[in-house]
Amino acid sequence: AQKVTQAQTEISVVEKEDVTLDCVYETRDTTYYLFWYKQPPSGELVFLIRRNSFDEQNEISGRYSWNFQKSTSSFNFTITASQVVDSAVYFCALRSRDDKIIFGKGTRLHILP
Amino acid sequence: EPEVTQTPSHQVTQMGQEVILHCVPISNHLYFYWYRQILGQKVEFLVSFYNNEISEKSEIFDDQFSVERPDGSNFTLKIRSTKLEDSAMYFCASRLRLAGRDTEAFFGQGTRLTVV
């Protein structure tokens, strides 16, 4: 069975603080892909990153960074120096050979001014 | 930048009525999907479509639902007889196919369906 768990339902931090969103996944497939999507208050789903199971290199994109660890089946997302515009729901997701994306329940992030 | 376009952005319909949600995927994409998100909940897979046929569907996608690619650009989701519990945001997505390479799915902005 495939599953994505985002244990943090809601997080609030003050602007400029760093924040890490946790994601733990389950799959029996050896080839799979992990994603993060952002859903701002307007409702659309914005793609942030895709990672395949063979690439454990961490990635940094501006204030965003991702830490993929196969040993713990985790794919955590860190926002450095958070800004109010980062306020959104963030979804971690998994896709393997059956081509459907399994989403976690999401973490609602509030960045307080 | 190319994007997935969904219309309408909001649809209100009476229970029991048929509704069709419209999507225009990114033009060179070959995989198409519908997902739904009940308010405040997670995004759930409904169906995937490739090569003019359904490649996979979830248990949510029962006989009330159907998908169609009526021409070279549109991808529609039809709900035959809407129920109150069909109220949700429906997302269309598309994905490019590249030999030997995986690609990400791009989502439309969603259609909010309200069944009254």
Side-chain angles (χ1 to χ4, degrees):
Chain A
Q2 297 179 92
K3 190 178 174 183
V4 176
T5 302
Q6 294 179 257
Q8 303 150 308
T9 307
E10 204 156 341
I11 300 175
S12 294
V13 299
V14 177
E15 199 173 16
K16 295 183 186 173
E17 286 185 359
D18 299 347
V19 59
T20 295
L21 309 183
D22 298 332
C23 174
V24 173
Y25 62 91
E26 291 176 34
T27 180
R28 290 183 182 159
D29 293 322
T30 54
T31 301
Y32 53 89
Y33 303 89
L34 297 165
F35 305 84
W36 277 94
Y37 285 87
K38 174 181 179 179
Q39 187 174 44
S42 49
E44 71 270 27
L45 285 169
V46 179
F47 167 80
L48 296 178
I49 189 170
R50 181 185 77 249
R51 223 47 185 156
N52 75 53
S53 50
F54 300 109
D55 183 1
E56 279 194 79
Q57 214 170 12
N58 291 329
E59 180 153 341
I60 298 175
S61 175
R63 295 183 297 106
Y64 295 170
S65 62
W66 291 270
N67 183 356
F68 175 29
Q69 300 219 339
K70 279 178 85 167
S71 59
T72 54
S73 297
S74 66
F75 186 44
N76 296 339
F77 172 32
T78 297
I79 302 175
T80 305
S82 58
Q83 299 175 1
V84 172
V85 293
D86 296 327
S87 297
V89 180
Y90 290 85
F91 291 97
C92 180
L94 165 72
R95 175 164 61 81
S96 56
R97 53 189 164 84
D98 61 7
D99 199 35
K100 62 185 177 193
I101 300 176
I102 305 297
F103 285 82
K105 290 186 177 180
T107 297
R108 184 174 296 278
L109 178 63
H110 301 278
I111 308 298
L112 308 171
Chain B
E1 188 174 319
E3 58 182 20
V4 177
T5 305
Q6 291 185 244
T7 54
S9 55
H10 192 185
Q11 172 100 38
V12 181
T13 189
Q14 285 202 322
M15 192 169 58
Q17 294 294 305
E18 175 182 287
V19 66
I20 298 176
L21 309 183
H22 297 267
C23 172
V24 179
I26 295 174
S27 62
N28 58 343
H29 285 193
L30 297 177
Y31 293 93
F32 312 113
Y33 310 85
W34 283 100
Y35 288 78
R36 79 168 187 193
Q37 183 184 30
I38 294 172
L39 186 64
Q41 298 187 24
K42 68 177 178 180
V43 181
E44 301 173 291
F45 170 80
L46 291 178
V47 65
S48 58
F49 191 87
Y50 171 69
N51 203 24
N52 284 320
E53 60 183 24
I54 290 175
S55 46
E56 182 152 5
K57 58 184 180 179
S58 72
E59 60 274 10
I60 302 169
F61 194 88
D62 60 23
D63 293 342
Q64 291 282 78
F65 292 88
S66 62
V67 290
E68 202 175 39
R69 190 155 161 81
D71 53 43
S73 60
N74 290 288
F75 179 52
T76 61
L77 175 69
K78 182 193 289 186
I79 309 175
R80 284 190 187 79
S81 177
T82 50
K83 305 188 283 280
L84 293 177
E85 53 265 37
D86 293 327
S87 295
M89 180 79 97
Y90 288 80
F91 290 103
C92 174
S94 70
R95 188 164 73 87
L96 180 64
R97 184 182 187 189
L98 292 175
R101 262 189 62 193
D102 187 71
T103 55
E104 65 267 20
F106 289 91
F107 285 79
Q109 78 279 20
T111 292
R112 183 167 297 286
L113 176 66
T114 303
V115 182
V116 296

